[in-house]
Amino acid sequence: YQIDLFRNLIQAAAEILGADDRASHSLNVVADHIRALDAGERALSIATAVGESAQEIEMRQRLAFVYHMLGDYSKSIDLSRRVLEAVAYDPLGVRFGPMLTAVISRVWLGWGLAERGEFADAIARAEEAGRIADATDYFSQAFAGWVLGLAHLHKGDVQSAIPPLERGLRACQGGQVAL
């Protein structure tokens, strides 16, 4: 991803839409993700070069989110899988931010797989996230329920989506979590 390439694409999209890139919230969000991608890739390179494994894990997790938001599901899936391999030794002990890394990585992985139509794998990863989250915090439980429901919805199975979405809603209410 070359930031100049995306800057030009954003400007072209803004011109087609008749908006300038500063007035369009959507274009600014995309630009923010592109800037985050650039910074994240540099941070990952530095962490890798100095052998800082915790920082590598965190940067891969954060980059998985950014790549997902930019629609590069393959890259997001790859990064999420690498994070899962790295935290397999201690799935309940690694956390960057409010959610367990073992849960959030499965959330991004499950969502990306669902976007690509790989429903069985998406549902399996989301169910794993739920099992891990059940032993932890409301935030992790909410996201695990949400991604499992989302995977079922992408598959077209509304009835199977309702129970995990309701569990996620209860976790949000119980922990005062806003998704």
Side-chain angles (χ1 to χ4, degrees):
Y1 287 91
Q2 296 290 336
I3 196 158
D4 291 332
L5 170 68
F6 279 100
R7 190 175 289 130
N8 293 338
L9 289 172
I10 289 168
Q11 184 61 39
E15 289 170 9
I16 291 168
L17 295 172
D20 71 52
D21 61 344
R22 292 287 171 214
S24 171
H25 176 71
S26 296
L27 293 175
N28 278 318
V29 169
V30 171
D32 288 346
H33 282 97
I34 293 166
R35 284 190 288 276
L37 182 65
D38 183 54
E41 288 289 358
R42 282 185 282 130
L44 178 59
S45 293
I46 292 167
T48 303
V50 299
E52 183 59 51
S53 63
Q55 296 303 317
E56 285 182 58
I57 294 167
E58 182 178 5
M59 287 298 91
R60 283 191 180 101
Q61 176 183 313
R62 292 179 186 277
L63 284 167
F65 165 79
V66 176
Y67 277 110
H68 182 94
M69 300 316 314
L70 290 171
D72 191 340
Y73 304 122
S74 294
K75 186 71 173 176
S76 178
I77 288 167
D78 177 59
L79 286 164
S80 294
R81 285 184 171 142
R82 292 184 69 186
V83 170
L84 289 177
E85 291 169 8
V87 300
Y89 66 93
D90 189 10
L92 296 177
V94 180
R95 180 185 300 262
F96 301 107
M99 194 179 329
L100 282 173
T101 300
V103 173
I104 191 63
S105 294
R106 282 174 173 83
V107 167
W108 293 122
L109 179 55
W111 190 4
L113 291 165
E115 292 287 349
R116 289 196 340 190
E118 298 176 38
F119 302 119
D121 202 13
I123 291 166
R125 297 304 75 77
E127 288 173 342
E128 287 172 5
R131 284 191 294 275
I132 295 167
D134 283 344
T136 63
D137 57 274
Y138 287 117
F139 203 76
S140 295
Q141 293 168 19
F143 268 90
W146 172 78
V147 77
L148 181 55
L150 181 78
H152 284 295
L153 286 174
H154 274 41
K155 185 180 175 186
D157 186 355
V158 174
Q159 291 304 312
S160 294
I162 293 171
L165 291 172
E166 288 176 338
R167 276 194 312 276
L169 176 60
R170 284 191 301 277
C172 286
Q173 292 167 334
Q176 298 180 348
V177 174
L179 296 185

